[in-house]
Amino acid sequence: MSTPTAQLVADGVSIWLDDLSRQRIISGNLADLIATRNVSGVTTNPTIFAGALSKGEAYEGQVAVLAGKGATADEAIFEITTDDVRAASDVFRPVYDETKGVDGRVSIEVSPDLAHDTEATIAQAKDLAARVDRPNVLIKIPATKAGLPAITEVIGSGISVNVTLIFSLERYAEVIDAYLAGLEQAAAAGHDLADIHSVASFFVSRVDTEVDKRLTVLGGDAEKLKSRSGVENARLAYELFEQKFAEQRAQDLVAKGANVQRPLWASTGVKDPALPDTLYVTELDAPGTVNTMPEKTLEATFDHAVVEGDQVTGRYAEAHAYFDSLRDAGVDFADVTQVLEDEGVEKFIASWHELQETVANALEAAKAAESAR
């Protein structure tokens, strides 16, 4: 009997795990998820690495070596995280080869501190790609205004990119344009376009959280619109994806061997306990998409998700009507998405600083332990 995760894959959905730690790699857990849960990629972010390092005995040996070398916290972070991403990339290499580069991908993010610095983002993205040195790495760049030209430059250099923190359709359109401009630069520079891949990470559950908060304040009939904005926004993102990649500019690049930039559904862990725990998986089943899931959502999906095929295409009119109702109720959705982008950057910066503190403390502890010997 086919499992729900296998059914999703049959529908054209790629399942990526939104988590990574050295313990997952060395224990064989990551390989097991590939074999038993149809996982075909991994995404990371500063919050994930902060969690892994704060409770990760697997890092003690490397931290001691780095402390002995006098490494700073930032130097240690890049050494440790690029080692993990390189090792995970090797675990996923068979998937990458089997899918001709579409899946088997492992993402690593540029420092969130650089979210509003185009040139520094470009430099670090190139440095990360060189340090990991694996063809199946994706460099994560946030879809801030400063991030857009960085996306173009990095893609133009032949590096595959995961564009993260997308909330609005307007910004998503700009992200697609930045990707296409990057492909045009890559083609002019002589890169093989077939080797360049990208996903556009469209966040889902955070949209519901912010909109539902505003609908609660409005009260009355407005509350009937709760718990739908995240899914409906993602459906309209898929409509935009179909429209943009059907245009001549994109088709000319595809004819030269370019890949479309796949929509990726991020933030798919359900935050409201009243909602089904697989809501952002089953309702966003669509061909040619990626759903990156926290392990809890992955296991819930495998255990009891009811997968009923494509739930996105053909439902655009319904989604547009929903946003008309949201506007009429008094919700400024443009403000919602700007707030979410600002908060998203701030949260990742806070996690990055937490990661720096965790590593700095571990380095100091290692030095003290060595001195006590």
Side-chain angles (χ1 to χ4, degrees):
M1 185 175 174
S2 181
T3 64
T5 54
Q7 290 174 311
L8 285 167
V9 172
D11 288 344
V13 177
S14 295
I15 298 170
W16 292 2
L17 178 70
D18 192 28
D19 192 53
L20 184 63
S21 68
R22 189 160 299 176
Q23 186 59 33
R24 276 196 192 279
I25 299 166
I26 62 179
S27 68
N29 170 263
L30 200 56
D32 184 60
L33 292 175
I34 295 171
T36 66
R37 300 293 188 267
N38 304 94
V39 170
S40 60
V42 157
T43 50
T44 67
N45 60 45
T47 305
I48 286 168
F49 277 127
L53 272 109
S54 66
K55 57 180 183 289
E57 293 177 4
Y59 298 100
E60 287 177 359
Q62 187 174 17
V63 168
V65 170
L66 289 165
K69 291 179 179 177
T72 65
D74 279 358
E75 288 167 345
I77 288 168
F78 281 104
E79 192 83 25
I80 291 165
T81 58
T82 53
D83 280 0
D84 277 4
V85 169
R86 187 182 307 109
S89 296
D90 290 342
V91 173
F92 278 100
R93 184 59 189 260
V95 178
Y96 171 84
D97 291 336
E98 287 164 18
T99 62
K100 296 182 170 56
V102 174
D103 283 316
R105 294 284 177 172
V106 184
S107 296
I108 185 168
E109 188 158 351
V110 297
S111 166
D113 277 335
L114 309 179
H116 303 298
D117 186 333
T118 301
E119 293 306 318
T121 295
I122 292 167
Q124 193 175 98
K126 292 179 178 180
D127 185 30
L128 285 170
R131 288 198 197 201
V132 175
D133 193 27
R134 293 294 185 271
N136 46 334
V137 70
L138 285 175
I139 307 302
K140 284 179 84 174
I141 298 175
T144 55
K145 277 294 186 183
L148 295 171
I151 293 159
T152 296
E153 172 67 24
V154 174
I155 290 288
S157 301
I159 297 169
S160 295
V161 171
N162 175 343
V163 183
T164 189
L165 283 178
I166 308 172
F167 296 97
S168 73
L169 296 179
E170 293 75 18
R171 183 55 53 83
Y172 181 35
E174 293 176 314
V175 165
I176 296 173
D177 287 341
Y179 173 61
L180 297 176
L183 289 176
E184 288 161 352
Q185 288 185 15
H191 292 289
D192 185 347
L193 299 187
D195 293 338
I196 304 171
H197 287 258
S198 184
V199 292
S201 296
F202 212 85
F203 280 52
V204 186
S205 67
R206 294 189 195 183
V207 175
D208 271 343
T209 301
E210 180 63 25
V211 169
D212 287 2
K213 183 169 68 177
R214 298 182 186 211
L215 290 171
T216 297
V217 171
L218 290 167
D221 286 344
E223 298 207 51
K224 295 175 183 176
L225 299 171
K226 280 185 174 181
S227 308
R228 287 184 56 194
S229 56
V231 167
E232 302 297 7
N233 195 39
R235 284 175 175 148
L236 294 185
Y238 194 85
E239 179 187 36
L240 183 60
F241 158 73
E242 289 188 316
Q243 290 170 346
K244 294 285 282 184
F245 282 96
E247 291 173 359
Q248 196 61 49
R249 182 188 186 190
Q251 286 300 302
D252 288 345
L253 288 161
V254 170
K256 294 177 182 177
N259 301 288
V260 300
Q261 182 186 52
R262 289 188 294 167
L264 178 151
W265 311 131
S267 179
T268 59
V270 173
K271 310 257 191 314
D272 183 346
L275 298 175
D277 55 3
T278 61
L279 177 73
Y280 304 124
V281 176
T282 56
E283 287 298 301
L284 293 176
D285 182 348
T289 58
V290 179
N291 195 306
T292 181
M293 309 178 195
E295 187 172 28
K296 185 178 178 183
T297 303
L298 173 66
E299 290 302 326
T301 299
F302 180 80
D303 179 66
H304 56 257
V306 179
V307 178
E308 298 179 316
D310 184 354
Q311 299 297 306
V312 176
T313 60
R315 298 184 69 169
Y316 306 140
E318 179 184 338
H320 283 289
Y322 170 81
F323 280 100
D324 288 343
S325 298
L326 201 64
R327 182 196 62 227
D328 293 344
V331 175
D332 181 347
F333 195 68
D335 183 67
V336 167
T337 55
Q338 188 59 56
V339 165
L340 288 171
E341 181 184 308
D342 294 343
E343 283 184 353
V345 171
E346 287 168 9
K347 285 176 181 176
F348 278 157
I349 288 174
S351 293
W352 183 256
H353 292 168
E354 179 188 331
L355 178 57
Q356 288 173 317
E357 185 178 354
T358 297
V359 172
N361 291 340
L363 290 169
E364 286 303 315
K367 286 178 189 172
E370 183 60 31
S371 299
R373 285 182 185 150

